[in-house]
Amino acid sequence: MSDAFTTRVLNVASGPQERVVDLTHDCEAFLREAAAGRDGLLNVFVPHATAGIAIIETGAGSDDDLLAALRTLLPADDRWQHRHGTPGHGRDHVLPAIVPPHATLPVIAGRLELGTWQSVCLVDTNRDNPNRQVRLSFLA
């Protein structure tokens, strides 16, 4: 494969609770190797039907606020037609329509171009699947 396109899969243990997992350092480490000082695009993709990728502030409560907002928008109750798994699991299958399973970000001179308080995060509300994969792809 050409060095214009490089990809890697991260294995993320998101655990048995709803979580927002900061992937920013993993993305930066990947780009140090893959981008090697070049400009391009980083695509972050989670190949799961019940998780998403968000660009948000972390560490100041925004990650908990996001999970609280998702609980309000997508309650874990019996309203969902998709009913296997833990109670309310159907909402997890609606999550990617609100928090998409991908993000494409600019890379300038090999560095991820995020705003001051932005982080790249995996959003996982599915308590039935504690292990996730996230694909990082760099296109020069």
Side-chain angles (χ1 to χ4, degrees), residues 45-101:
F45 175 70
V46 56
H48 297 280
T50 58
I53 299 294
I55 310 300
I56 63 168
E57 177 181 8
T58 58
S62 297
D63 34 358
D64 291 331
D65 290 342
L66 173 59
L67 291 174
L70 290 171
R71 280 186 219 106
T72 299
L73 289 169
L74 305 171
D77 58 21
D78 65 356
R79 73 182 70 202
W80 307 102
Q81 291 183 41
H82 186 106
R83 292 182 184 260
H84 75 83
T86 57
H89 173 67
R91 74 172 190 138
D92 300 327
H93 287 274
V94 176
L95 174 78
I98 296 169
V99 181

